Amino acid sequence: MPMGGSPVWHRPTPQREEPVEHPSYFQLMLHLRELIDAEFGVTAALDGVAREPAALGLSDEEWNIVGESVVTLVELHKEGWNGIWCSILAEGLST
């Protein structure tokens, strides 16, 4: 998380269908929320969603952006801001 405590969200800009436009995007975010709520760490959460259809085919750069977002979500969870941020992020990026 950047200095000042405000999370920064990155939206990938791939040359193909973006993950947030993928029909399985919300399933990926739901799965991610479940993993974070179950106290999975960053690596385990990323491993858990890596095979979701919306995550398949992401470039290394896009996967790094996903990883940065998961780090922020896990940190928010540890600070008591539970996995609801997955839902908020999913809604915000899909609009």
Side-chain angles (χ1 to χ4, degrees), residues 22-53:
H22 193 284
S24 298
Y25 175 69
F26 286 100
Q27 182 61 38
L28 180 144
M29 295 303 288
L30 175 63
H31 188 191
L32 182 59
R33 179 179 179 171
E34 291 169 349
L35 293 169
I36 292 172
D37 283 346
E39 306 293 332
F40 281 73
V42 173
T43 301
L46 285 170
D47 288 347
V49 297
R51 290 190 175 90
E52 291 285 340

Side-chain angles (χ1 to χ4, degrees), residues 66-80:
V66 170
E68 290 172 10
S69 296
V70 171
V71 166
T72 301
L73 292 168
V74 169
E75 287 177 3
L76 286 168
H77 179 75
K78 287 179 182 178
E79 293 176 16

Side-chain angles (χ1 to χ4, degrees), residues 13 20 22 28 34 38 45 55 62 65 76 80 85:
T13 54
V20 296
H22 193 284
L28 180 144
E34 291 169 349
E62 292 165 334
I65 292 169
L76 286 168
W85 287 102

